[in-house]
Each structure stands twice: as structure tokens, then as C-alpha cells.
Amino acid sequence: MEWPDAATLIIPVGRALAYAHSQNIVHRDVKPANVLLARPDWPLLADFGLVKLIGRQRGITRPGVSIGTPAYFSPEQAAGEDVDHRTDIYGLGIVLYELLTGRLPFEANSPIEMMLQRLRDQPIPPRRFNPRIQPQLEAIVLRALARDPAARYPTMEALVQDLSRVPGATGRVGQPPPQASAPASATARLGALSPIAGPRLIVTGTGAVLPLPQQSEVLVGRDDPQVPKPDVDLGPHGGGQAGVSRRHARFVRAPEGWLLEDLRSTNGTFLNGASVLPEQPVQVRTGDIIRCGQLTLLFYED
């Protein structure tokens, strides 16, 4: 895969793992078969049957027993040692390596030989198989695949942040916004909505109009008693079923216009098909297509 396409899959999975780690859960079996695609740009991390709960006195495995899938084992898993969240960092590194090169960093005729390789050898730099990989991206992959857990990223969040800084992480640069793909049911209603002025979101399919309050920051999400009420509540418009988080995204009024920023939502925020990353606001313009989880909106400003 080209990096922008791989980023669409690997970064959301990394965020899912980061959240699991924040709940003291280690997945221990990160591999392509455990990433389900609800749609091409919406990966779901699945199969938590082999999780390790950090801090529990009893685990589901005994010392000296490896569990997981050998092709995606970390060295400490291959050695049957105790593991922590850094084993998922290694597993995600292997998946990214495979996405970018079409092969595994270690290949052998048997699972035993494959495990021995990662205990004694360094992975082949991925640029040898795909010279188009950016040196910055290769360095990230190799750090995630460090044999010593202490040499890897300290947290999954740190790995995701570095991946998010690689050019192309938010989608293909220069790709025109796919405005023509907006559902016809949404555009057909715009004539009847003309009395509503100012910035607003239009829910595609229903044509519901959600005005943006005239303030410097506008929180978009779902109403919940445990969190501050969002300025734009997508719950009544199918937000719960569409995977909208309670604090999903934020609009910020800037001198150059409105900016959109993801708030580390579970299922992501997308602008014209490209992922919007936390702490990296992007400008939105009239006619842009915004997706919060699986709920599609159109942005308009007179």
C-alpha cells in the first residue's frame, strides 16, 4: 500500500490499542485477521480473547508459555516471557511493515524458525523492499520493531503521534474533494433551506439543518449526563448508531475561516474522505463533506 492508504487503517487501530492500554488491557494478538473493515476507511480492532489485564494477580497464561500468532509475535512473546503494552506496539509495527512492503519482516519455513529469527536478528529495513517509503516512516517502523522493549516507543500514543506527523497521514495531498459523491437526497433539499443563514451542518439523507452557534469554539458530539453538553448534538440524528463519540470533534473560528479538529474520537472524523487528526485542525469550506464516525454531514456557510 501507499502510505496515505496504510495510514487510514493503521492510525485508527493504533488509537484503539492506545485506548485499550489506558484501561490496562494488552491485546497480545495484533494481526491483520483481527482488523475488521466495516468499510474501506473504517477499521475495527477485534478479538480480545487473548487479552492480558495489567495489575491482576492471575493471568490466562503460565510463565514460559507463548500465546498469540507466531508471525506477529514480539520477541518477548516468542521467548515465553511476561509481556506488557509494548508487545502490541511490536505487533502493530509488523502489520504496518506488511502493509508497506507486502511481506513480513521475518519469513521462515516454520513458526519456530520465525520466532528464533526475531530473537537474534534485526528486521530488514522496509525501504529495501519499497524504496518509496519515506525515511521518516521507516525509522518509525524500525523503532516499533526494536528487539528490546525498552528501545521501542514508550506508549502506543507516542507511536500514533509520530505516525500522524508523517506527510500523507491525513490522506492524499492534492486530491480534489469528492463533492460529486454527496448523496442526492441532501443536495435536493438545499433550496428549501435557504432561509437559514450562517454556518451550519446538514445531515445527509434527512436534510436536517444544525446551525453552528456564533462562538469561537463549537463542540460536536452526543449528549450524555457525564460530559459537558455538546453545542451540536448528533444523537437525535442517528449519532449513537453511527459511532459518534460524546466529545467527537470541534469547530474553531479562525481569521481564515472555520477549522475542524478531531477530539480523539473512537471512530474518527473525516473531511472529504481524509482523516482529521487530533491537535491538527484543518480548514473547512462551503460544500465540504464531514463524516463523524459513520454519520455524514455537509458544511455550509453563507
Side-chain angles (χ1 to χ4, degrees):
M1 281 187 171
E2 298 290 339
W3 163 238
D5 300 317
T8 301
L9 300 178
I10 209 72
I11 290 178
V13 174
R15 288 181 183 152
L17 287 166
Y19 178 77
H21 295 170
S22 74
Q23 304 301 306
N24 295 321
I25 293 173
V26 180
H27 191 284
R28 294 203 294 183
D29 198 19
V30 179
K31 60 183 179 181
N34 287 338
V35 178
L36 310 181
L37 294 179
R39 52 188 286 175
D41 58 352
W42 188 19
L44 305 174
L45 179 64
D47 196 351
F48 282 76
L50 301 182
V51 299
K52 174 174 179 168
L53 303 178
I54 303 299
R56 295 290 180 88
Q57 294 297 320
R58 298 177 60 188
I60 64 173
T61 56
R62 301 185 304 276
V65 176
S66 298
I67 191 166
T69 304
Y72 300 89
F73 270 170
S74 65
E76 56 270 30
Q77 278 179 299
E81 299 173 352
D82 195 19
V83 302
D84 59 19
H85 65 281
R86 293 171 295 186
T87 198
D88 287 346
I89 292 174
Y90 191 95
L92 192 69
I94 291 185
V95 174
L96 178 55
Y97 188 108
E98 190 174 13
L99 286 174
L100 295 172
T101 67
R103 53 161 289 156
L104 293 167
F106 299 97
E107 295 188 341
N109 294 324
S110 69
I112 295 297
E113 177 60 26
M114 185 178 294
M115 290 191 290
L116 289 175
Q117 284 181 354
R118 68 195 59 204
L119 287 172
R120 68 187 182 217
D121 301 331
Q122 299 294 339
I124 299 173
R127 279 169 54 84
R128 294 190 188 178
F129 303 110
N130 181 1
R132 296 189 303 276
I133 297 174
Q134 303 168 57
Q136 176 185 355
L137 180 57
E138 180 180 69
I140 293 172
V141 173
L142 292 177
R143 183 177 178 185
L145 293 178
R147 192 164 48 195
D148 181 1
R152 295 174 208 153
Y153 282 90
T155 65
M156 184 65 71
E157 184 64 32
L159 170 57
V160 170
Q161 287 180 0
D162 266 11
L163 288 172
S164 300
R165 296 187 185 102
V166 178
T170 57
R172 295 189 175 278
V173 178
Q175 185 175 3
Q179 296 183 18
S181 64
S185 58
T187 56
R189 297 170 181 258
L190 296 183
L193 301 175
S194 56
I196 300 178
R200 58 201 184 274
L201 298 172
I202 300 173
V203 182
T204 63
T206 68
V209 183
L210 309 177
L212 268 61
Q214 295 297 320
Q215 55 196 47
S216 59
E217 294 187 3
V218 176
L219 175 65
V220 178
R222 288 189 293 115
D223 191 14
D224 186 279
Q226 299 181 353
V227 298
K229 182 178 177 63
D231 301 302
V232 176
D233 184 7
L234 298 180
H237 305 280
Q241 299 88 336
V244 175
S245 297
R246 291 164 178 82
R247 289 175 50 85
H248 196 102
R250 173 170 54 203
F251 285 92
V252 179
R253 186 189 291 275
E256 63 271 26
W258 285 97
L259 305 178
L260 175 65
E261 177 185 8
D262 182 74
L263 296 179
R264 303 189 185 281
S265 62
T266 301
N267 295 312
T269 304
F270 301 84
L271 177 65
N272 297 322
S275 177
V276 178
L277 302 178
E279 301 177 2
Q280 296 187 30
V282 295
Q283 187 168 8
V284 293
R285 298 177 175 84
T286 292
D288 279 350
I289 301 172
I290 297 170
R291 183 159 55 80
C292 295
Q294 294 302 296
L295 187 64
T296 303
L297 311 161
L298 302 179
F299 176 84
Y300 279 87
E301 182 176 25
D302 295 333

